[in-house]
């Protein structure tokens, strides 16, 4: 979600195979640097492979450019990486949030072959995407401050994942402002 | 030998398909739409959008999906509209017979049970309808019953169904959840109507089958009132 000079990203913590739950603390949020975070939903192995690939690519970027990568550039990097596999894709749909070089908030999501959705308000992916659309559409308003944005994204996440059998076991929430990054873990229904 | 016409011999066609051709007629189609019902201390709210679709087309912008069954019961339907209309017609007939036989209107919980039986009677060629019944029970308290197409039903505090059901339901949970009393909602009817309107504007944004107009039925001990609202038409 986009807020006033801040962005927030949240994921659930479940990792499973259909009805079988395998982990209740699976990490799906990754940091590129202090100003860019991304979340990956989908096939577990692809989530891990892609996060390792992006770490490699952004490290190389830093060595070659001698500067941090910008959030829009990173988004296009992710898009290209996914489209490379156009006819045998990674089964993962990323959500990217961050502050650009002027500290203006930026959010976007992508489908599994890299089509970017540049949104002004909020982006959602995953098995509970319809539920998340309903919650965000109802709860989000523009220019929320960091604390209010945290409340809003948390309520949306908890209510939506409680109506999806394949999501849950709490949530990981990260709120990014130009001065600080706050990471929180929410306790949720363990079913 | 007999000769007919001009006796011209036409060559046999060479472009015939020698493989089997599969014909498929489906007795059902999905006309889309979203329905919601909420029960309170002494009221029930039943709302449904009015768009009727088929695939990517809109058949009509105004085709009501919620029907008043009695002074204290309203039925919201979703799924195949032809089956919904027929089902409502047959329920209406059963309500008339009951009224004549027992000299009183059918109570909402009785309608609820009867609807379940009527649906299961067509277990092997179902009414493709997702029903949500809302109204007042025999004690004047609000009640909501939700069904699957073959009659499995349950009384709940609130339910959202139809194509936008998964978009709306978590929002209702968020606004109404009260872990003391899940049978009814602890808010005044005006707040509930506001929440329902917000839920539908959200659903109309993100569900292509929901939109055009919204009809809200409010059931209280004074009977049934109807409120209409515009929704996005895109």
């Amino acid at each position: 979600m986009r807020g006033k000079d801040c962005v927030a990203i949240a994921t659930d913590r479940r990792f499973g195979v259909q009805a079988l739950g395998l982990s209740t603390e699976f990490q799906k949020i990754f940091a590129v640097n202090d100003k860019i975070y991304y979340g990956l939903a989908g096939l577990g192995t692809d989530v891990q492979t892609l996060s390792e690939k992006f770490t490699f690519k952004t490290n190389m970027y830093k060595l070659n450019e001698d500067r941090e990568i910008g959030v829009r550039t990173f988004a296009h990097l992710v898009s290209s990486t996914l489209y490379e596999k156009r006819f045998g894709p990674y089964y993962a749909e990323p959500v990217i949030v961050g502050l650009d070089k002027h500290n203006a908030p930026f959010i976007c999501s992508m489908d599994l072959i890299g089509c970017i959705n540049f949104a002004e308000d909020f982006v959602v992916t995953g098995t509970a995407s319809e539920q998340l659309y309903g919650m965000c559409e109802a709860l989000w308003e523009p220019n929320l401050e960091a604390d209010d944005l945290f409340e809003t994204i948390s309520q949306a996440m908890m209510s939506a994942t409680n109506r999806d059998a394949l999501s849950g076991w709490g949530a990981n929430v990260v709120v990014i402002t130009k001065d600080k990054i706050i990471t929180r873990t929410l306790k949720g229904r363990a079913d | 030998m007999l000769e007919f016409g001009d006796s011209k011999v036409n060559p046999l066609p060479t472009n015939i398909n020698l493989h089997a051709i599969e014909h498929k007629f489906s007795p059902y189609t999905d006309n889309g739409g979203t329905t919601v019902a909420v029960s309170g201390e002494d009221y029930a709210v039943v709302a449904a959008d009015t768009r009727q679709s088929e695939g990517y087309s809109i058949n009509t912008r105004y085709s009501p999906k919620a029907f008043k069954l009695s002074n204290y019961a309203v039925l919201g339907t979703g799924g195949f509209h032809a089956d919904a209309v027929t089902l409502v017609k047959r329920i209406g007939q059963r309500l008339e017979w009951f009224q004549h036989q027992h000299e009183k209107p059918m109570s909402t919980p009785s309608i609820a049970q009867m609807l379940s039986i009527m649906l299961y009677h067509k277990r092997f060629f179902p009414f493709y309808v997702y029903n949500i019944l809302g109204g007042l029970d025999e004690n004047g308290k609000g009640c909501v019953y939700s069904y699957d197409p073959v009659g499995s039903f349950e009384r709940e505090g609130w339910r959202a169904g139809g194509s936008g059901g998964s978009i709306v339901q978590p929002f209702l949970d968020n606004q109404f959840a009260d872990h003391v009393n899940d049978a009814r909602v602890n808010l005044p009817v005006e707040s509930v109507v506001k929440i329902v309107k917000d839920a539908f504007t959200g659903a109309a944004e993100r569900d292509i089958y929901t939109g055009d107009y919204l009809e809200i039925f409010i059931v209280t001990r004074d009977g049934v009132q109807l409120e209409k609202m515009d929704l996005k038409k895109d």
Side-chain angles (χ1 to χ4, degrees):
Chain A
M1 281 191 182
R2 179 197 290 252
K4 189 168 167 58
D5 302 324
C6 59
V7 287
I9 181 170
T11 63
D12 71 329
R13 285 151 60 82
R14 182 182 186 269
F15 168 59
V17 179
Q18 291 177 355
L20 175 63
L22 292 171
S23 168
T24 54
E25 294 120 2
F26 195 72
Q27 185 201 5
K28 299 175 211 186
I29 298 185
F30 304 93
V32 177
N33 57 37
D34 270 354
K35 299 224 255 170
I36 308 174
Y37 276 68
Y38 64 98
L40 280 171
L43 191 63
T45 178
D46 287 346
V47 166
Q48 288 180 334
T49 301
L50 281 172
S51 71
E52 286 164 18
K53 272 180 108 93
F54 295 140
T55 307
F56 166 69
K57 290 188 176 197
T58 50
N59 284 344
M60 285 305 295
Y61 185 95
K62 187 138 193 229
L63 289 170
N64 283 325
E65 303 265 326
D66 196 23
R67 64 188 176 99
E68 295 288 344
I69 190 171
V71 65
R72 274 180 189 80
T73 311
F74 178 69
H76 285 91
L77 177 65
V78 172
S79 171
S80 309
T81 309
L82 293 174
Y83 197 78
E84 265 178 338
K85 301 286 181 195
R86 170 65 176 81
F87 299 111
Y90 290 112
Y91 285 108
E93 299 194 319
V95 161
I96 301 168
V97 304
L99 304 173
D100 67 13
K101 62 183 179 210
H102 304 294
N103 287 328
F106 172 88
I107 60 169
C108 76
S109 68
M110 260 162 257
D111 66 5
L112 78 172
I113 46 175
C115 175
I116 309 179
N117 167 29
F118 296 103
E120 293 293 322
D121 41 15
F122 50 83
V123 288
V124 303
T125 64
T127 51
S129 60
E130 284 200 358
Q131 290 89 331
L132 283 165
Y133 270 130
M135 287 313 299
C136 293
E137 211 50 72
L139 297 185
W140 186 87
E141 56 187 74
N143 292 324
L144 288 167
E145 297 288 348
D147 293 327
D148 295 327
L149 191 65
F150 165 72
E151 274 305 320
T152 306
I153 200 175
S154 301
Q155 285 290 328
M157 198 65 191
M158 298 316 292
S159 290
T161 54
N162 282 346
R163 279 287 176 180
D164 176 24
L166 301 176
S167 304
W169 259 276
N172 289 336
V173 185
V174 179
V175 182
I176 306 158
T177 52
K178 69 175 176 28
D179 306 313
K180 53 187 178 177
I181 299 164
I182 309 166
T183 307
R184 294 185 185 89
T185 302
L186 304 178
K187 213 167 164 187
R189 289 180 64 108
D191 63 355
Chain B
M1 139 166 155
L2 287 171
E3 282 189 14
F4 297 96
D6 58 1
S7 298
K8 183 161 161 263
V9 180
N10 288 317
L12 287 171
T14 48
N15 59 346
I16 50 174
N17 179 7
L18 292 167
H19 300 290
I21 301 168
E22 195 183 337
H23 300 275
K24 205 87 178 80
F25 166 71
S26 172
Y28 299 116
T29 184
D30 185 358
N31 296 116
T34 305
T35 24
V36 166
V38 184
S39 58
E41 180 58 37
D42 58 354
Y43 63 85
V45 173
V46 181
D49 72 318
T50 63
R51 172 177 287 177
Q52 191 191 95
S53 336
E54 218 168 316
Y56 286 120
S57 305
I58 295 179
N59 288 339
T60 172
R61 295 197 189 276
Y62 185 71
S63 170
K65 276 193 275 287
F67 305 92
K68 177 179 162 185
L69 298 181
S70 73
N71 269 338
Y72 301 110
V74 176
L75 181 67
T77 62
F80 180 37
H81 196 249
D83 271 355
V85 162
T86 306
L87 177 63
V88 168
K89 201 174 185 180
R90 293 210 203 160
I91 294 172
Q93 289 167 344
R94 297 286 298 268
L95 292 182
E96 259 195 78
W97 294 338
F98 185 95
Q99 169 85 46
H100 286 129
Q101 205 172 7
H102 297 96
E103 290 208 323
K104 66 171 179 175
M106 227 173 145
S107 73
T108 309
S110 304
I111 299 175
Q113 176 67 19
M114 182 185 77
L115 174 55
S116 168
I117 302 300
M118 285 173 74
L119 291 170
Y120 198 82
H121 271 135
K122 276 174 65 67
R123 169 65 177 81
F124 300 109
F125 181 22
F127 285 112
Y128 178 17
V129 188
Y130 292 92
N131 293 112
I132 306 180
L133 177 68
L136 298 186
D137 67 12
E138 264 142 339
N139 300 318
K141 297 199 184 310
C143 58
V144 164
Y145 298 89
S146 63
Y147 298 77
D148 77 354
V150 286
S152 164
F153 79 117
E154 182 189 14
R155 182 172 175 175
E156 293 175 290
W158 57 89
R159 167 61 65 185
S163 56
S166 47
I167 296 176
V168 171
Q169 182 73 38
F171 177 55
L172 300 184
D173 295 338
N174 185 269
Q175 298 293 305
F176 298 146
D178 166 7
H179 299 284
V180 175
N181 176 16
D182 276 331
R184 273 174 294 281
V185 152
N186 268 333
L187 295 169
V189 63
E190 295 81 14
S191 310
V192 168
V193 170
K194 279 197 183 125
I195 290 168
V196 165
K197 286 180 177 175
D198 283 347
F200 269 92
T201 42
E205 289 282 324
R206 296 286 177 173
D207 178 27
I208 60 175
Y209 300 111
T210 302
D212 296 330
Y213 304 101
L214 173 64
E215 282 189 336
I216 308 178
F217 289 80
I218 303 165
V219 186
T220 57
R221 64 166 182 208
D222 302 321
V224 178
Q225 279 170 282
L226 174 55
E227 211 181 301
K228 294 194 204 199
M229 190 182 95
D230 272 46
L231 293 173
K232 279 178 79 168
K233 290 163 180 49
D234 70 347

